[in-house]
Amino acid sequence: MENLALSYSHLGRRQEAVTIAEQVVEGKTKLQGADHPDTVASMETLALYYSHLGRRQEAVTMANQVVEGKKRIYGVEHPDTITSMETLALYHSHLGQRQDAVMVEKQVVEGKKRIHGSEHAGTVGSMQTLALYYSHLGERQDAVTIAEQVVECKKKIYGAENSDTVSSIETLALYYSHLGERQKAVRAAEQVVEGKKKIHGAEHQDTMASMQTLALYYSHNRQYQEAVTSLQQVVEWKKRIHGAEDPDTVVSMESLALYNSHLGRRQDAVSIAEQVVELRKKTRGAQHPDTIASMETLALYYSHLGRNKDAVMISEQIVELKQNIRGPQHVEATIPTGDAGQSSTADSVPPPPYSLEHK
């Protein structure tokens, strides 16, 4: 029956997998008892199927029973018990029970330290997960403290230029940014770029992605010249690899215009923003919301540059476009005042470079 449940799971027939796995657990509990290793193993499989089906509370409840069963069978610090605790922490996280996820993962880390030592790869991996759970919980200083330890341990285990070490430095930079430690975020991101250049080469896509993130951190830290320099390289690379009309290239060009505006290079900001508008008209059409948003930004840059006639002209075009889309009664006057609206790339912190999956 267990093989049949597994086959159903592989086929995506998750409800049927759960139904059979429940029968297996019930049968083994009657025949062998709840604390028999085979019964607990089947309970662990059932918890996984619950998770696959989105029945997260039941996955947590079952996984908690598994942990308690393994504690009685093997002891608290047995590797199998620790592994099941880590799975339980993951299910808590999936359910949004962030404090519970942190509490259980802390026990996992402490257990692995006692079993394997602080600098064992398995221990460091769990520390990295714990830092992520702290970040999800909003405990940003704790996330940073543990992420710093992870980086130091990985340097000792793998070396400073190992791709796994560099990835952890990138995560640390993100946590610094979340904490408002902007200078530290910049320094860590600079190390990431240099590390990736050595590992992958200067024009590898991973290197370029990290350079774009570095430009963002420079901007957050008001190092606009450095932001422009870094992002300019990214834009030129994207043009060569993907072409000027690629949406990702255009988004980066819009960010580059913004950084130039912050730097006081108003003519450069206008020139790039004009290209963005033309590219958006070509690829998405004049009436697309992104095109209109880029036109609004261009009008603002014209105003900054003192080209008021151009600002008015493009603002009138925007009003006309909006009237065509929504009707006259829904259109407000477009007045180019204030600061340029930041694009999604320039205004947001990138997501964690990795996500947790079932282990």
Side-chain angles (χ1 to χ4, degrees), residues 15 90 110 117 184 189 200 204 217 258 265 273 305-306 347 358:
Q15 181 57 61
L90 179 63
E110 292 306 313
K184 289 182 178 180
H200 303 300
H204 190 276
Y217 292 153
L258 177 65
R265 293 179 176 175
L305 196 57
D347 190 44
H358 178 75

Side-chain angles (χ1 to χ4, degrees), residues 66-356:
V66 169
V67 169
E68 293 306 313
K70 287 192 175 182
K71 284 179 179 179
R72 290 190 292 270
I73 296 167
Y74 303 118
V76 175
E77 294 190 1
H78 190 278
D80 285 354
T81 306
I82 298 294
T83 298
S84 296
M85 290 175 68
E86 194 148 37
T87 302
L88 173 59
L90 179 63
Y91 292 158
H92 278 309
S93 180
H94 287 169
L95 194 57
Q97 296 175 337
R98 295 172 177 176
Q99 186 63 60
D100 291 323
V102 164
M103 180 184 68
V104 176
E105 194 67 25
K106 282 174 68 175
Q107 296 176 42
V108 169
V109 169
E110 292 306 313
K112 286 189 175 183
K113 283 181 179 179
R114 288 190 291 270
I115 295 169
H116 305 297
S118 296
E119 294 179 7
H120 186 274
T123 306
V124 175
S126 296
M127 290 170 65
Q128 187 162 297
T129 301
L130 178 58
L132 180 62
Y133 290 158
Y134 272 131
S135 179
H136 289 169
L137 191 60
E139 298 287 351
R140 294 173 176 175
Q141 183 58 64
D142 290 325
V144 163
T145 299
I146 294 174
E148 287 173 334
Q149 295 172 26
V150 168
V151 168
E152 292 308 310
C153 287
K154 286 192 175 182
K155 285 179 179 179
K156 292 177 183 177
I157 297 170
Y158 305 119
E161 294 178 7
N162 178 272
S163 58
D164 199 33
T165 305
V166 172
S167 177
S168 293
I169 297 172
E170 196 157 32
T171 302
L172 176 59
L174 179 65
Y175 293 158
Y176 280 141
S177 181
H178 288 167
L179 193 59
E181 295 278 3
R182 295 175 177 177
Q183 187 59 51
K184 289 182 178 180
V186 164
R187 289 174 184 167
E190 287 173 336
Q191 293 177 43
V192 170
V193 170
E194 291 307 310
K196 288 192 176 182
K197 284 179 179 179
K198 292 174 182 176
I199 295 168
H200 303 300
E203 296 210 346
H204 190 276
Q205 61 182 6
D206 286 351
T207 306
M208 286 295 159
S210 295
M211 285 185 69
Q212 183 159 322
T213 301
L214 174 58
L216 177 64
Y217 292 153
Y218 279 140
S219 176
H220 288 170
N221 203 38
R222 300 183 183 276
Q223 295 177 245
Y224 297 124
Q225 179 60 65
E226 291 86 348
V228 165
T229 300
S230 293
L231 193 56
Q232 182 67 53
Q233 295 176 56
V234 174
V235 168
E236 293 305 316
W237 177 82
K238 287 185 177 183
K239 286 180 178 179
R240 288 195 304 274
I241 301 300
H242 304 298
E245 296 178 9
D246 183 83
D248 195 42
T249 305
V250 176
V251 169
S252 295
M253 290 173 67
E254 197 156 34
S255 296
L256 181 59
L258 177 65
Y259 296 162
N260 273 293
S261 178
H262 286 327
L263 193 57
R265 293 179 176 175
R266 294 176 177 177
Q267 182 56 59
D268 291 330
V270 163
S271 297
I272 297 169
E274 287 174 334
Q275 295 174 47
V276 168
V277 169
E278 290 307 310
L279 288 166
R280 288 229 158 113
K281 285 180 178 178
K282 186 175 181 180
T283 58
R284 300 193 175 187
Q287 295 186 358
H288 191 281
D290 288 349
T291 305
I292 293 173
S294 296
M295 291 173 70
E296 288 174 332
T297 301
L298 176 57
L300 188 56
Y301 292 156
Y302 278 144
S303 179
H304 289 168
L305 196 57
R307 292 171 58 177
N308 294 324
K309 288 184 179 179
D310 292 321
V312 169
M313 181 182 69
I314 200 167
S315 296
E316 289 173 344
Q317 293 174 24
I318 291 166
V319 170
E320 184 178 352
L321 286 166
K322 288 184 176 181
Q323 285 177 340
N324 292 337
I325 297 167
R326 306 176 193 170
Q329 67 274 22
H330 296 294
V331 177
E332 296 179 359
T334 303
I335 303 173
T337 58
D339 293 330
Q342 293 187 4
S343 70
S344 60
T345 300
D347 190 44
S348 61
V349 174
Y354 64 93
S355 61
L356 287 177

